Amino acid sequence: MTQTQSLALYTAAILVGALTGGSLPLIGRVGRSDVGLSFSAGVMLGAAFFHMLPEAVEESGAGILPFVLVGFLLLFLLERFVLVHVCAEPGPNARLSQAAPLPAGIDAGGHAHHHPHDPGHAHVAADGAVALEEDGTGCAVHTTLGLAAFVGMSAHTLVDGFALGAASGHAELGLLVFLAILAHKIPNSFSLSAILRAEGYSRGRALAMNAAFALMVPVGAGIYLVLRELVRVETFTAAALAASAGTFLHLSLSDILPDLHRRGGSKWVLSGALLFGLAVMWGLRLLNHAH
């Protein structure tokens, strides 16, 4: 199977997964699975440490490792700039307090965060995380929050597509990175649909936006392929793998795990799911080496 055929298969599967995850909030009151998110964080950590980084170092040596920081900072800056704060605080944002509040189910589907030190605070991050704190001033969701979530999550998915493109040059590595992305895109799609429905988007439009969000994967992979042909530097693929590993580390360590920590839940169950995700990726590494 050629690299193009592999990417087509992977992106089709991610599209199906995104539509499946995005449809769940539309057909009933189905809660977000924190255990699944914790598992996906373990899978992404394992993909970065056990597969992507060793492959990058094997191709170009330890000198390629600074690109991990490049990828980490790229995603950090991206999330900083697509983060939307909407609160009834004194000043320019006060007028937004008249927007419609979130319905009761959004906390389960909308990936809630809590900031006790910052009351009256609502935000959506690039991974679709939504937070809402009320301080009596009526902090609520602005009508553009759904669009901001869509744009931010799509930009993040573009980066994932780039990582998939970089990894797909190696059959085994491409499969593992695909699994890591798929494990995260399903809960992402769930969150996006929950946000869009909370703002009054129709079911059809929410699913269409989920499909567009998932299609950023092939766009990102295409960007990698084009850049590879334009740059034609021997270490480009290794640098792209290292930078992509940095984005995976940021996503798992700065987004998913801190959110789960704030939400509470069973520490043993969530920790076990994280370790299980890591164990799966380590087991696949041993299986690859055995062959």
Side-chain angles (χ1 to χ4, degrees), residues 100-148:
L102 284 170
I106 188 65
D107 185 71
H111 200 162
H113 298 258
H114 300 287
H115 299 268
H117 61 282
D118 188 15
H121 182 92
H123 70 225
V124 56
D127 67 340
V130 175
L132 180 61
E133 295 283 321
E134 299 246 3
D135 62 351
T137 61
C139 183
V141 179
H142 187 35
T143 55
T144 61
L145 186 60
L147 181 60

Side-chain angles (χ1 to χ4, degrees), residues 31-47:
R32 186 190 72 164
S33 172
D34 287 348
V35 173
L37 276 174
S38 188
F39 171 77
S40 74
V43 168
M44 300 196 88
L45 283 174

Side-chain angles (χ1 to χ4, degrees), residues 255-265 267 270:
D255 286 352
I256 302 176
L257 294 180
D259 174 57
L260 292 173
H261 180 68
R262 284 190 294 265
R263 287 174 62 86
K267 293 181 176 64
L270 295 181

